Amino acid sequence: VRTLDVELDTDLATALLFAIRSDTLDFLRGATTDEYDAAGYLHTHVDQEMLRQLSTPAISGETLDAISTAIDNRSINSAVLVSHVGRTTERDALPQAVDYLVRKEGVQTAIVSGVVDDSIHLSARSPDPRVNVGTILNEAFKDVGSGGGHHDVAGGEIPLGIFADYTSDDAQLLSIIEQVITARLFAELNLSEEAEE
């Protein structure tokens, strides 16, 4: 915006500042002087009320249920937490759940999966500099879907069709998905399948 001398209106400034804050976890994750400088430039043009609403969105009941399920289903091995939310219509529930779970004491990497429509979605977070979650998801699922992202934030998607042929029983299908996803993740992370919790 500054380099191209683009006219900065309130909506654009608000969206850009929200994106910077979101990407850097409110400047707590990997923020550089460039992000601080950009935020300072944008700040005077921002609609503060809109930014506040974007930063603290209401959580739907289904998202809250998915987060609760992720908490209940968590498995921890070393400092890695893997969980599953089952079926949900709220794709955004996965990153919200993983953002919450990665803060658990002793956890350095968290990965949450769930079935949304006709796909298995994955969301991962890792402040651990030894773990690149983008690479982990890509390597674990490149033969059946897609995965990738950054060192500390990543996502993935696997078409449900590869599992759907196994059973017409939804509970059994979700159980199979949970077992396969967890096994692939633990294998890619060189961990045994014996969870600590």
Side-chain angles (χ1 to χ4, degrees):
V1 167
R2 288 160 83 177
T3 301
L4 298 175
D5 200 24
V6 172
E7 186 176 334
L8 190 61
D9 66 22
T10 302
D11 289 346
L12 178 59
T14 304
L16 291 172
L17 184 55
F18 175 73
I20 291 169
R21 288 179 55 183
S22 179
D23 257 7
T24 62
L25 198 60
D26 280 329
F27 301 97
L28 296 175
R29 176 180 60 210
T32 66
T33 54
D34 289 336
E35 278 93 7
Y36 283 107
D37 184 44
Y41 173 75
L42 295 167
H43 184 73
T44 57
H45 304 284
V46 166
D47 178 336
Q48 292 295 333
E49 180 56 31
M50 185 188 304
L51 185 61
R52 195 171 1 272
Q53 289 175 6
L54 289 170
S55 298
T56 55
I59 296 176
S60 72
E62 188 159 354
T63 295
L64 199 56
D65 290 343
I67 293 170
S68 173
T69 302
I71 292 168
D72 291 342
N73 288 342
R74 71 190 186 275
S75 297
I76 299 175
N77 190 327
S78 284
V80 177
L81 182 150
V82 174
S83 190
H84 308 274
V85 302
R87 281 194 187 275
T88 181
T89 60
E90 300 285 335
R91 187 178 185 278
D92 288 341
L94 299 175
Q96 290 183 50
V98 80
D99 281 338
Y100 183 79
L101 290 170
V102 77
R103 298 186 321 207
K104 184 184 180 311
E105 185 177 359
V107 170
Q108 288 293 312
T109 301
I111 305 168
V112 175
S113 67
V115 176
V116 182
D117 297 325
D118 296 329
S119 300
I120 303 161
H121 290 262
L122 297 112
S123 188
R125 303 288 185 269
S126 184
D128 187 342
R130 299 166 298 172
V131 176
N132 183 323
V133 287
T135 301
I136 294 296
L137 292 186
N138 180 52
E139 291 299 317
F141 302 109
K142 66 184 178 186
D143 63 325
V144 292
S146 62
H150 302 285
H151 182 274
D152 56 344
V153 178
E157 185 173 348
I158 303 163
L160 191 56
I162 65 167
F163 292 98
D165 295 338
Y166 289 113
T167 179
S168 59
D169 179 334
D170 199 56
Q172 186 180 23
L173 175 65
L174 293 174
S175 177
I176 291 168
I177 290 169
E178 180 176 348
Q179 290 171 26
V180 171
I181 297 293
T182 300
R184 280 182 174 240
L185 289 170
F186 283 170
E188 189 59 40
L189 288 158
N190 295 317
L191 299 171
S192 72
E193 290 189 41
E194 295 300 316
E196 296 168 5
E197 188 176 13

